[in-house]
Amino acid sequence: MKVMIIGSGGREHAIATSVSKSKKVDKIYCAPGNAGIAKIAECVDIPVMEFDKQVAFAKENAIDFVIVGPDDPLVAGCVDAFEEAGIKVFGPRSNAAIIEGSKAFSKDLMKKYDIPTAAYENFDNAEDALAYLENASFPIVLKADGLALGKGVLICKNLEEAKAGVKEIMLDKHFGSAGNRMVIEEFMTGREVSVLAFCDGTTIKTMTSAQDHKRAKDGDQGLNTGGMGTFSPSPFYTEEIAAFCQKEIYDKTMAAMKAEGRDFVGVLFTGLMLTDKGPKVLEYNARFGDPEAQVVLPRMKNDIIDVMEACVEGRLDQIDLQFEDNAAVCVVLASDGYPVSYEKGFPISGLDKFEDKDGYYVFHAGTKFAGEGADKKIVTNGGRVLGVTAKGSDLKEARANAYEATKLIEFDNKYMRNDIGKAIDEA
Ligand code: AMP
Ligand code: GLY
């Protein structure tokens, strides 16, 4: 069959890599893709938000199955567009992707269906939010309602910072229309875990757990980023915690979405905080995490297309989802200065050293081709450039392997965190 993937990041490269291993797949297209994805798929120059063009291309090329990677198109109705055209597509419809698209929606859903999460209030104007803060306890968390590249969350230590935060989100519209509404919620402490799960609208089956590192600098300092590295599994996500979450969080979320007439089909990403009062939901995403996908998918034993088709056809209960009994670590190689300002266009060397290196992957996030003919080369084209993933028999071995492998790649202004997976030592 012919598969088309929508997206252009490390997550989509990880998805494409799994799809390329499927026995069912003859040909992969990716819109728009990147220089790494181009090795295994035909990249088509159609932006992720141009659904009409994507659908037209899929029709012209007799695409059998579409996978939508990123949040923006999912929330805006990319899946709906393919469904209307009668093309099989993996991902939630817009009315279900709202679980990521509106934090106010997801908080209200959790409250209504008694799913554990931080206490909160929603606000649609700055005046009410400011008045509420006068009697709040600190630290406190402010969240822009809509999509903000994972950056619309402010943790405020005191009233002054919180007032400035409300101004930033609701008045200065730092995150654009994402800040038309906002959530103010209780600050929680504990370890964070990311759990991705396949969903068919009724059944939800979790994948192996992972942990992201969102801050730019070592020791969780610096600004929030899209993610600087991941490890999988999380040693803190025990079987006991997993059993609690399945019952109190995942199954309830699936049932809640169904009861609301918003059947969730696709990948549900639950960001959890393991607090001393038990696991609580930090956020939901309506897609694979990035860079969580880069450590979770390489460990999956199933044919990804089998699983995704089962989701779309409502028979996920028949799938035995299996993961390798090992570990993986992904270290993101970024451009120095990310997430604020950075240069692009530097040639990347060493990529070929990963070819046929079993248990090692280099997932492209921000890369592109430059030059023509013999001069054609791959250059940096984003803040997060590559994700270097390695497996190991356990987390420590995977981490050592991943850091060793980062040495194979060179480009000007290469930057990475040196403490991805440090938490493993505390397990
Ligand atoms: P989110 O996009 O909602 O996952 O938030 C981004 C990051 O902000 C999370 O990964 C947490 O590190 C932090 N965060 C979000 N909500 C809270 C909260 N209620 N308490 C403490 N930290 C939070
Ligand atoms: N790694 C967090 C996310 O994908 O949103």
Side-chain angles (χ1 to χ4, degrees):
M1 64 197 267
K2 291 185 184 177
V3 174
M4 177 156 90
I5 300 166
I6 308 293
S8 64
R11 164 184 45 220
E12 286 73 28
H13 194 181
I15 295 171
T17 302
S18 289
V19 171
S20 72
K21 302 207 166 99
S22 168
K23 288 186 207 70
K24 292 185 165 170
V25 175
D26 311 302
K27 167 100 185 162
I28 311 173
Y29 295 91
C30 190
N34 63 36
I37 296 173
K39 280 235 164 214
I40 47 177
E42 183 175 330
C43 293
V44 192
D45 194 16
I46 305 175
V48 295
M49 295 301 277
E50 298 199 5
F51 310 156
D52 290 349
K53 285 190 189 159
Q54 293 162 3
V55 169
F57 181 87
K59 280 186 175 163
E60 277 159 30
N61 292 277
I63 303 287
D64 302 292
F65 197 75
V66 178
I67 302 164
V68 185
D71 45 1
D72 284 315
L74 287 167
V75 170
C78 185
V79 166
D80 310 55
F82 280 105
E83 278 187 352
E84 278 156 26
I87 299 166
K88 242 192 209 180
V89 52
F90 177 84
R93 292 180 190 144
S94 172
N95 77 348
I98 190 176
I99 201 166
E100 170 166 12
S102 167
K103 291 193 189 283
F105 169 87
S106 75
K107 294 299 291 190
D108 287 346
L109 186 87
M110 288 186 267
K111 186 191 255 179
K112 184 170 170 189
Y113 293 91
D114 197 24
I115 296 166
T117 188
Y120 75 103
E121 291 286 336
N122 293 338
F123 295 92
D124 57 15
N125 70 78
E127 219 170 66
D128 291 349
L130 291 169
Y132 174 85
L133 287 173
E134 294 292 340
N135 298 311
S137 48
F138 296 91
I140 203 158
V141 184
L142 311 186
K143 298 186 174 185
D145 177 54
L147 296 179
L149 297 169
K151 290 163 195 154
V153 174
L154 304 176
I155 295 175
C156 305
K157 287 199 258 340
N158 51 45
L159 180 60
E160 205 174 303
E161 273 187 30
K163 281 182 168 169
V166 171
K167 181 170 179 290
E168 193 178 319
I169 293 174
M170 294 203 103
L171 300 175
D172 300 344
K173 292 277 163 40
H174 208 98
F175 307 103
S177 61
N180 290 349
R181 289 204 287 170
M182 68 181 265
V183 176
I184 301 185
E185 75 175 25
E186 170 201 5
F187 176 75
M188 302 188 285
T189 52
R191 293 204 182 268
E192 288 186 39
V193 185
S194 301
V195 179
L196 314 182
F198 286 105
C199 308
D200 71 358
T202 306
T203 303
I204 175 163
K205 289 204 172 179
T206 58
M207 301 177 223
T208 179
S209 60
Q211 185 180 320
D212 191 8
H213 299 66
K214 287 208 166 100
R215 301 295 195 97
K217 303 229 162 84
D218 285 5
D220 291 328
Q221 302 294 308
L223 295 171
N224 260 324
T225 70
M228 294 300 293
T230 37
F231 59 82
S232 170
S234 163
F236 309 104
Y237 188 71
T238 60
E239 277 181 26
E240 191 189 348
I241 292 174
F244 173 89
C245 292
Q246 185 71 42
K247 185 160 171 272
E248 297 299 327
I249 298 177
Y250 315 133
D251 289 341
K252 277 190 183 176
T253 305
M254 229 6 49
M257 291 298 277
K258 187 174 265 307
E260 295 292 314
R262 299 173 183 274
D263 292 35
F264 191 98
V265 176
V267 169
L268 182 71
F269 168 138
T270 309
L272 296 167
M273 182 81 92
L274 307 181
T275 75
D276 55 14
K277 295 197 190 82
K280 294 190 182 187
V281 177
L282 279 168
E283 64 160 348
Y284 293 112
N285 294 320
R287 51 171 173 84
F288 282 101
D290 190 344
E292 282 87 344
Q294 288 92 311
V295 284
V296 169
L297 287 178
R299 300 185 52 229
M300 190 165 96
K301 288 185 182 173
N302 304 68
D303 181 320
I304 193 171
I305 296 294
D306 279 346
V307 182
M308 288 180 163
E309 282 188 316
C311 290
V312 174
E313 291 163 11
R315 47 176 183 78
L316 181 61
D317 58 333
Q318 291 162 21
I319 295 284
D320 179 18
L321 204 55
Q322 289 195 359
F323 287 81
E324 292 168 0
D325 183 21
N326 56 10
V329 169
C330 173
V331 179
V332 169
L333 304 184
S335 301
D336 199 9
Y338 172 74
V340 182
S341 67
Y342 48 85
E343 292 177 66
K344 300 183 196 175
F346 298 114
I348 305 170
S349 69
L351 293 166
D352 49 322
K353 294 179 188 151
F354 282 79
E355 279 165 26
D356 301 320
K357 201 167 151 64
D358 217 25
Y360 290 80
Y361 305 79
V362 58
F363 295 119
H364 292 227
T367 66
K368 68 168 189 182
F369 289 109
E372 295 288 332
D375 288 337
K376 194 171 172 184
K377 54 187 181 237
I378 294 177
V379 300
T380 66
N381 191 41
R384 290 189 296 171
V385 178
L386 300 164
V388 171
T389 294
K391 292 192 209 175
S393 58
D394 61 14
L395 283 162
K396 284 187 180 165
E397 189 181 287
R399 178 176 61 187
N401 290 347
Y403 272 107
E404 198 55 35
T406 61
K407 295 180 190 157
L408 300 174
I409 304 272
E410 287 305 332
F411 55 87
D412 284 357
N413 292 0
K414 171 178 147 185
Y415 171 81
M416 65 184 157
R417 272 183 65 163
N418 292 297
D419 64 347
I420 300 302
K422 187 164 183 291
I424 296 164
D425 301 327
E426 296 151 26

